[in-house]
């Protein structure tokens, strides 16, 4: 009698498991966006197509391969510039690199300190912190300047200057 009972219970458990699995599978099919990949509603695209569309969106509708580094044009005054690309700027000891509103700096070489003429500072987007006047600017961190008049200078005691990647307007004083 026990053998028949065990076989019956195993059959009931197996049938119950199959039934529960089919219900969960049906619920999972309806989850998400509800379309199959590769259809007209959810097309499969290549990486190059996605990269091309991103460049198109960033450049306002034109597709081209941008130059990774843009140098200032000769018509710009020495020590200042404004460009949508990235400019490499060398800052000598005693000089201060002042940002225009919306500019971004990345200190690539040297030791820099933050320069600000008010209590507010500079946004370190890499760490998510606000750096105030006189604090060390970390190397290889993206620094955002929301207002003009703030910048970076070479740390006191440093004999070598700074190498800074700049996007946006700047003035070298």
């Amino acid at each position: 009698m026990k053998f028949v009972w065990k076989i019956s219970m195993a059959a009931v458990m197996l049938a119950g498991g199959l039934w529960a699995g089919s219900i969960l599978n049906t619920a999972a099919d309806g989850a998400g966006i509800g379309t199959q990949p590769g259809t007209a509603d959810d097309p499969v695209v290549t990486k190059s197509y996605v990269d091309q569309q991103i460049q198109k969106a960033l450049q306002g509708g034109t597709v081209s391969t941008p130059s990774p580094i843009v140098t200032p044009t000769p018509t710009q005054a020495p020590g200042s510039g404004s460009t949508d690309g990235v400019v490499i700027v060398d800052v000598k000891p005693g000089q201060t690199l002042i940002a225009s509103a919306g500019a971004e700096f990345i200190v690539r070489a040297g030791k820099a300190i933050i320069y600000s003429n008010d209590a507010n500072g500079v946004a370190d987007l890499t760490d998510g912190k606000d750096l105030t006047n006189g604090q060390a600017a970390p190397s290889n961190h993206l620094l955002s300047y929301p207002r003009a008049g703030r910048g970076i200078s070479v740390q006191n005691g440093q004999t070598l200057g700074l190498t800074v990647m700049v996007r946006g307007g700047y003035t070298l004083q």
Side-chain angles (χ1 to χ4, degrees):
M1 182 70 180
K2 285 187 176 185
F3 180 71
V4 172
W5 178 251
K6 287 181 182 178
I7 295 292
S8 312
M9 286 305 290
V12 167
M13 293 295 281
L14 182 63
L18 288 172
W19 175 75
S22 68
I23 289 176
L24 291 175
N25 187 30
T26 304
D29 284 342
I33 47 180
T35 60
Q36 293 295 324
T39 63
D41 294 332
D42 188 14
V44 177
V45 296
T46 63
K47 180 184 179 304
S48 61
Y49 175 78
V50 172
D51 291 343
Q52 186 181 44
Q53 295 302 315
I54 290 171
Q55 288 300 324
K56 187 177 182 181
L58 290 175
Q59 295 177 355
T62 60
V63 178
S64 66
T65 55
S67 172
I69 297 175
V70 177
T71 57
T73 60
T75 58
Q76 293 173 339
S80 69
S82 178
T83 179
D84 291 335
V86 175
V87 177
I88 306 299
V89 178
D90 292 321
V91 182
K92 306 287 186 230
Q95 291 182 323
T96 302
L97 184 63
I98 305 294
S100 297
E104 297 175 339
F105 293 173
I106 298 176
V107 178
R108 295 291 293 152
K111 296 188 183 229
I113 59 170
I114 300 297
Y115 168 79
S116 177
N117 50 6
D118 57 15
N120 295 323
V122 175
D124 180 356
L125 300 180
T126 305
D127 275 346
K129 293 194 249 181
D130 193 41
L131 302 175
T132 57
N133 190 33
Q135 277 188 308
S139 295
N140 300 317
H141 282 220
L142 180 61
L143 305 174
S144 176
Y145 294 84
R147 292 190 182 148
R150 300 172 186 171
I152 57 174
S153 60
V154 180
Q155 193 173 36
N156 289 335
Q158 294 296 310
T159 58
L160 300 175
L162 303 173
T163 302
V164 183
M165 293 173 54
V166 177
R167 184 179 329 172
Y170 67 93
T171 305
L172 193 56
Q173 298 178 350

